[in-house]
Amino acid sequence: MIRRMRNRVFLAFGVFVLLFIIIAPFYYVITSSFKAPQEIIARTPTLIPQSFTLQHYEKLFRSSNFPIYLINSLIVASGAMLICVALSTPAAYGLYRLRLPGGKLLFRVILVTYAFPGVLLLIPLYGMLSQLGLIDRLSALIVINVTFTAPFAVWMLRAFFTTIPPELEEAAALDGATRLQALLRIVLPLSAPGVASVAIFAFITSWTEYMFASVLILSDANRTLPVGLAGIIGQYQVDWGLLLAGATVTMLPVLILFSLVGRNFVEGLTAGAVK
Amino acid sequence: MNRHKCFAPMSFVLLAIVTTMAVALVACAPTAPVAPQPAPAAEGPAQPVSVRLWHMEQPPHRVQRIQQLIDEFNAANPGIVVSQEPQNWGEIYTKAPAAVAAGNAPELLFAIPDFTPILKDLGKVQPMEELVAEMDALYSFYPTAVEPYAYDGHTWALPLYNMAHSLWYRPSVFAEAGVEPPKTWEEWEAAVAALSKEGQYGIGLPANKHLYTDQVVYDFMVNAGAEEIYNPDGTLRFNNPQTVEAYDFYSKLYRFSPPDSPNWTWGEAEACFANRTCAMILQFTVITTYDTQAEGDPSDLGVIAIPHSPNVAESGTIAYSNAVMLLTEDPAKQEAAKEFLRFLLKPGNYGRFLNMEPGLFLPVTEAGNNDETFWNDPLAVKYRSQIETMVENAKNGRLFGFTNGNTFPSIAAISAQNLLAQTLQMVVIDGKPAAEAVAAGQALMEEAIGE
């Protein structure tokens, strides 16, 4: 009994330490975004804010193009997420279920795109997108983000599909379902956690993508959050309050998405680990 | 039973087609939420000449001030529409060459001296000596502002504003410690030691492999008489006794700097000064931060020229003459762009342009220094004596690779890799003797420029 108690206390302590390490930076960023400028840069940092102001948020939304950056990021991340899911789901299913010539090889090399550092592809992609008239277009960022997220999404989803017994699809086929119907009505509902995890993965990757967004977008009107935020905080003089307010608002959509489907994300990541 | 044969492959073909069409639709969809655009021109020709301006002054208040001037210009010039596209210094070295190569370059692009050669090598930068001469006749450029852009028989950019380092301190802190503002290195070292006490570092000096460290190191080099990195024939002369003296003295003062200074950029140094952790720092300006995030008492903000070695007659500093390049070959666009630049440098407009960041950007012309709109800004009124000192310090400004009428565009490779800062790290972090580090630094530079 005592041993069990000791184990539980030990585990609880471990969880507490881990939570503290994870949550502390978020807590500090969020609470500091409401502090007066003097308190933010004070010599002795304050854990509990001694002042309260909304001036940084007011400046963020009234004096900068942050709302535009926010909308642009939502468009890019949502678009990339939807297309990534729409492409990777049938692709993963096809690679797993269909007898495609070279299918196994394709599945193995699909992650090769990750072997190339993005920066090496920057200039060639700039040239290609320029010829297509897609420079300074949000659609260019959607295409790029799908290019980089879809391969891993296919890999992840395939692992998930392997956990679904093929007998279920066979039963559907015997009842007259086409393969597409089986995918949409049998496989997808059972794969919801996997699809959700792919969606979150694609959203977060696109939400935080900086390099391509900084080079392919030219105008302020089409800038996304990471690039826009880097610009408005300044170079020689840093407005720390503005930076913290921007970071807080930037985190919100990701936190909301995680709170809605986070459980599925965890399930999706562990799919196929145990048979 | 083969479980695959019951399904129609056509369904998958259909799904693939639909998905591909969806991707194509999204990819070709028009982008862009509505964003602030330049004010429409008044009644004018059917197709006004458009001029795109790329600059790297992204903070919102700077963008607003530039937009205000653009709006005024567009309203007064119906045949021209100027628009701005703020960029980031962090990406512009990649982005601008890519844009030039793809034919998307703007007509006007802000520059600093070591950025210009990169664009010039791409064959897109247009000579501007005629406009520079015209503006010089009207407003009298400070020669040090123009020199970094004059080489290979042309002037490649029109200077717009200057930035120079000074030494910032609090008179009350000095008075409390019984310290006088230092003028020589000996006095400076004594002051730094006297000001170091519990909770206060005598000075804040960076050691990051970053441009800020390059700049501060060069401050020490200028004040040791080592401002020339090149010999007149273009070979490197970085490894010399004066440079060694500069690095050695830097390492002596660095002992009094906060322990996190190896990670500093400009913002951290300013915060260290504003929260009274650092008694002194070297910075372009601290005025805005001091005014909004510290005491904001102009009588307790001190600024002086950077102290110099006993082997040097007077103080110098690093100074960046910021300028604008013309990147279009279209005569109509060239003339429209020049008209906008004439508007910008005109007294009455120029002071307001400089005050997009009051107390940071300094005039590059005599007329600009006398422009009432420059001195009428509330912050300039409040900190006038500090700004006057900054302007004075800037007159002794130097920039590595662009000194004494010699311009060596290969400095861009040295600057891009922060080799001055890397050499400093060998001394203050790796603990190498200054002479050894400087010799290694020169070897790195020779490798970088392919000598």
Side-chain angles (χ1 to χ4, degrees), chain B residues 150-203:
Chain B
Y151 45 92
D152 293 348
H154 294 289
T155 304
W156 299 102
L158 177 79
L160 286 179
Y161 52 91
N162 207 357
M163 296 160 61
H165 271 185
S166 296
L167 182 68
W168 298 87
Y169 69 100
R170 281 182 176 79
S172 64
V173 172
F174 272 37
E176 191 185 322
V179 169
E180 287 294 316
K183 289 182 180 163
T184 65
W185 278 8
E186 192 182 5
E187 292 169 5
W188 197 11
E189 190 177 2
V192 168
L195 289 163
S196 298
K197 58 181 186 182
E198 194 176 340
Q200 179 176 282
Y201 294 90
I203 191 164

Side-chain angles (χ1 to χ4, degrees), chain B residues 8 15 36 83 134 154 186 189 219 267 304 330 357 378:
Chain B
L15 183 64
S83 61
E134 180 190 330
H154 294 289
E186 192 182 5
E189 190 177 2
D219 285 329
I304 51 172
D330 180 334
E357 192 64 72

Side-chain angles (χ1 to χ4, degrees), chain B residues 140-142 145 159-162 321-322 345 350 362-366:
Chain B
S140 298
F141 277 115
Y142 296 129
L160 286 179
Y161 52 91
N162 207 357
S321 168
N322 287 251
L345 282 175
Y350 186 51
L362 307 173
V364 289
T365 62
E366 292 280 4

Side-chain angles (χ1 to χ4, degrees), chain A residues 88 91-98 100-113 150-162:
Chain A
S88 58
Y93 183 76
L95 282 171
Y96 173 56
R97 285 284 196 265
L98 298 185
L100 298 170
K104 281 186 179 172
L105 178 68
L106 184 64
F107 179 65
R108 286 188 186 122
V109 300
I110 204 164
L111 286 182
V112 165
T113 51
F152 185 67
V154 169
W155 190 272
M156 227 159 106
L157 276 172
R158 184 193 178 275
F160 205 89
F161 288 156
T162 56

Side-chain angles (χ1 to χ4, degrees), chain A residues 41 97 179 210 214 217 223, chain B residues 4 7 86 91 95 199 275:
Chain A
I41 62 164
R97 285 284 196 265
R179 193 181 285 276
Y210 183 89
S214 68
I217 297 299
R223 207 152 271 156
Chain B
H4 300 292
F7 296 97
E91 288 84 43
K95 196 170 187 172
N275 67 20

Side-chain angles (χ1 to χ4, degrees), chain A residues 34-48:
Chain A
F34 295 102
K35 293 176 185 171
Q38 291 80 358
E39 193 184 345
I40 293 173
I41 62 164
R43 191 185 299 183
T44 311
T46 50
L47 204 57
I48 297 165

Side-chain angles (χ1 to χ4, degrees), chain B residues 190-273:
Chain B
V192 168
L195 289 163
S196 298
K197 58 181 186 182
E198 194 176 340
Q200 179 176 282
Y201 294 90
I203 191 164
L205 291 173
N208 197 356
K209 195 181 174 209
H210 185 270
L211 179 59
Y212 178 44
T213 310
D214 279 347
Q215 293 169 347
V216 178
V217 166
Y218 192 65
D219 285 329
F220 281 72
M221 288 172 63
V222 169
N223 285 291
E227 69 267 29
E228 298 283 0
I229 288 183
Y230 290 89
N231 291 307
D233 65 357
T235 55
L236 283 166
R237 65 176 309 276
F238 177 71
N239 186 8
N240 62 63
Q242 290 78 23
T243 307
V244 173
E245 185 193 3
Y247 274 88
D248 194 45
F249 186 65
Y250 195 114
S251 71
K252 282 181 186 167
L253 296 195
Y254 182 77
R255 290 182 289 126
F256 299 98
S257 191
D260 62 333
S261 48
N263 295 318
W264 276 9
T265 64
W266 302 276
E268 287 81 3
E270 258 198 319
C272 187
F273 179 77

